[in-house]
Amino acid sequence: MTGRFAGLLGVAAVLLTTVACQTGPATAAPVGQPSAQPSAQSAARSTPSSARSAQPSSRSARPPAGSVAAARHDVVTWGASADQLGQGTADRGYRLVVHTSAAGSDLRVRLSNAFGDRPLTLDSVYAGLQSQGAALKPGSNRRLTFDGARTVTVPAGATAWSDPLPGTLPAGSNLVVSLHSPDAAGPATGHGMAMQTSYVAQGDHTAEEGAANWTDTTGSWWYLDSVSVRPKNPDTGAVVALGDSITDGWASTSDQNRRWPDYLARRLQKADTEVKGVADEGISGNKVLADGAGQAALNRLDRDVLSQPGVRTVFLFEGVNDIKAHSGVTAADLIAGYREIARRAHAAGKCVVASTVGPFEGWPEWDQAGEAVRQQVNQYIRTSGEFDGIADFDRILRSPYDQARMLPFLDGGDHIHPNDKGMQAMADSVDLAGLNCDH
């Protein structure tokens, strides 16, 4: 950890303790900003239409135009795609470590029960800053509320946003969200391959800043799929990376935030650009066209990408799993999927940047037929003009001596997933100005 980063965390700890922990509806807020917003109304805006019908009408109405909630300008500072994680466990707590991107005030978290088959009750949710392991920086751990209440029940298939937490969170913070459910059961929702160590406790220890009771670990993020802030600059926006295991960070170093979207976020913080937020919506094994390892990109686009607050640009880097699955997917099929994603994102007012599919010769499923599809798809991405921008990750990763194979210096060892250097090379190749387009 650099001295500058440690200093920023210290500032955050001070600022996050300037307001006492909320135990009911917020009664004070920073000057010029509204107090706690109705999180259930916000939840309805970020819940797929298929899930909204499951919510009681009093908690699913869209805020009227001109209302305080509609006027908020929040930007996603961290995100992880939702998937089914096995079974929920009653009286279990999770201390989830996430690395933010954009700076801002009024932190909010989104809890997801997207894959649940029954309501999910969380009776205690806290947010703080990591000190080391499961231990938090003293004074930083504060309770989050939902419509002023300490407990929230999220209907099956739905999401819920917390009330904003006054105080400022610097860019690049190791935020810790601690949550507890008294009666979780049935299918649990979360993100399986976090590439980040989080912590588990039996019983409710969410308010504790020490690590003594957080004795177990987990490599997944449970029930949490988004964190937002309100940036100081109202023109600030975010980019969402929609992808597979390469975007999810497989073969990068765990607990070091070395996925390519992490490197991209660090570039954006230093750059003169309005795009500061980055959400990593990769799922290992994910496909564009077919469900399997998570819902297909086409089927999760609304929930994982378009519902994120402040999104300006969708970054599409996916398709290798469709190609290597030997399921009969043609270049025309995959191109049609890309076009559908671009059409829906454009209809939502978002820009779309697409990347070429990287090389993977040496992976067991590689063959000449799949390579031909990859080359046709990449030619389309480079030349069609149907996207607002392109990134050529294939060109960055491939060997100059065998263009179907990854450069060994960037290869994570399995010939399909880049290592840390490969992840950084990908992020360094992205045209930052191209992420700041208007559609």
Side-chain angles (χ1 to χ4, degrees), residues 82-155:
D83 200 1
Q84 184 171 329
L85 277 187
Q87 298 295 300
T89 303
D91 195 28
R92 177 167 290 180
Y94 296 96
R95 178 153 281 181
L96 308 171
V97 181
V98 303
H99 191 67
T100 65
S101 53
S105 62
D106 292 353
L107 174 147
R108 304 170 81 205
V109 307
R110 188 171 74 178
L111 305 177
S112 180
N113 192 23
F115 292 88
D117 62 2
R118 67 200 73 190
L120 169 70
T121 296
L122 296 161
D123 59 1
S124 187
V125 184
Y126 276 75
L129 294 171
Q130 186 182 35
S131 174
Q132 185 175 6
L136 307 182
K137 294 187 72 68
S140 71
N141 199 32
R142 299 169 58 204
R143 183 184 291 278
L144 290 165
T145 59
F146 299 80
D147 289 343
R150 295 185 176 189
T151 297
V152 61
T153 297
V154 188

Side-chain angles (χ1 to χ4, degrees), residues 99 256-259 261-271:
H99 191 67
Q256 296 298 312
N257 303 305
R258 293 179 181 174
R259 314 163 191 85
D262 296 319
Y263 284 109
L264 178 62
R266 288 189 278 272
R267 284 190 68 204
L268 289 169
Q269 300 318 310
K270 299 175 182 177

Side-chain angles (χ1 to χ4, degrees), residues 367-400:
D367 61 14
Q368 288 289 351
E371 179 64 17
V373 172
R374 187 179 76 90
Q375 294 292 349
Q376 293 173 57
V377 166
N378 285 351
Q379 180 68 7
Y380 155 76
I381 291 172
R382 292 184 179 111
T383 64
S384 70
E386 295 179 10
F387 304 103
D388 301 286
I390 64 168
D392 202 341
F393 287 168
D394 170 49
R395 181 180 63 82
I396 295 301
L397 294 173
R398 72 193 184 199
S399 168

Side-chain angles (χ1 to χ4, degrees), residues 300-313:
R300 65 188 182 90
L301 179 67
D302 289 347
R303 181 192 65 240
D304 288 352
V305 180
L306 300 182
S307 74
Q308 299 289 354
V311 174
R312 185 164 302 171
T313 300

